[in-house]
Amino acid sequence: MTSDILVVGTISPETQAAVTGVVKGLEKAFNAKDPVALGEQYTQHASWTNARGTRLDGREAIAEFSAPAMKSFLRDSFARYDVVKMLEIAPDVIAVNVVQTPTDSTGTPVDGPRGATLYVIAEQADGWHIAAGQNMAVAPQAV
């Protein structure tokens, strides 16, 4: 793990890697405009509130909502998701702060709204997934 991540609690390197992998999987799915892969990062009964304040409950609802958004207003939006903090809530439950930086399709940072996201990522029988989260838009900053 990079030293840029503040880790609070006893979180093993393996768990840190797994949790970061979920965030990077979400980033990859968003940038590929793949709502199914995006939905797979969430637990079956996840609760997610997007940057517009819409709460979505369940993996299927998250994927269904994301599909038309990715084809319309998010079509030309790309981002980098950087984990900045992990907080151990319980042995298999980690709160994760993520900074979202807008990029172009090649990953180069661009001007635009940023995001500050909080995920609760929990280990499930089939691996680590987002159980709950909320995204907040942050005013654009010059690159």
Side-chain angles (χ1 to χ4, degrees), residues 44-129:
Q44 195 64 37
H45 303 289
S47 179
W48 169 247
T49 303
N50 67 22
R52 291 187 169 187
T54 302
R55 191 187 82 225
L56 303 164
D57 293 313
R59 178 185 289 163
E60 287 183 31
I62 293 165
E64 287 174 11
F65 181 88
S66 298
M70 290 178 167
K71 291 179 182 175
S72 59
F73 69 93
L74 293 175
R75 174 184 65 247
D76 296 320
S77 296
F78 302 92
R80 184 181 69 231
Y81 297 177
D82 294 309
V83 174
V84 294
K85 181 179 179 181
M86 292 185 192
L87 168 67
E88 181 181 39
I89 297 172
D92 297 327
V93 182
I94 311 296
V96 183
N97 292 102
V98 174
V99 172
Q100 298 171 336
T101 303
T103 69
D104 63 19
S105 62
T106 68
T108 302
V110 297
D111 287 336
R114 297 174 181 276
T117 307
L118 174 65
Y119 298 115
V120 176
I121 300 179
E123 187 172 28
Q124 307 286 292
D126 62 344
W128 290 85
H129 298 282

Side-chain angles (χ1 to χ4, degrees), residues 26-38:
L26 195 67
E27 173 188 302
K28 181 178 178 183
F30 176 79
N31 288 333
K33 307 303 178 219
D34 185 342
V36 174
L38 186 131

